[in-house]
Amino acid sequence: MWRMDQECFPAGIAYSKQELREFIRHRGSFTLVAVNDKGELQGFIVSHCATAGHVITIDVGPDARRAGVGSLLLEGAEERMRAA
């Protein structure tokens, strides 16, 4: 996921390995991943849910862009936040 984040965002905006790890492991955070039929990572979303929901990052690999992957990840995160 870190490599994908580096591809998706320029230096200074992309998270370091430590930052991404901390966001993923933070209490109240959750991560959803999208994989293709070969099990290859296509994208992911890291969100935090407390009194309000917050998307920390949403990343979609270049080969999966414009295919609805980002929308599916966002919808999944919204559903999970509503349920919480």
Side-chain angles (χ1 to χ4, degrees):
M1 288 190 301
W2 173 78
R3 283 190 184 99
M4 182 174 286
D5 195 62
Q6 298 302 299
E7 285 182 52
C8 291
F9 297 99
I13 295 175
Y15 291 120
S16 68
K17 283 183 184 180
Q18 181 179 349
E19 288 172 321
L20 190 57
R21 184 181 309 116
E22 288 176 12
F23 284 130
I24 290 169
R25 292 180 178 173
H26 191 271
R27 184 178 179 161
S29 292
F30 62 90
T31 303
L32 303 176
V33 298
V35 296
N36 64 15
D37 55 352
K38 297 176 184 176
E40 299 166 330
L41 181 65
Q42 299 296 292
F44 68 94
I45 188 168
V46 180
S47 300
H48 183 263
C49 190
T51 54
H54 175 75
V55 173
I56 296 166
T57 190
I58 182 168
D59 299 55
V60 177
D63 295 340
R65 292 182 187 151
R66 310 300 255 164
V69 173
S71 295
L72 289 172
L73 287 166
L74 189 56
E75 288 171 13
E78 289 173 337
E79 287 177 22
R80 185 158 176 182
M81 285 186 239
R82 271 193 296 274

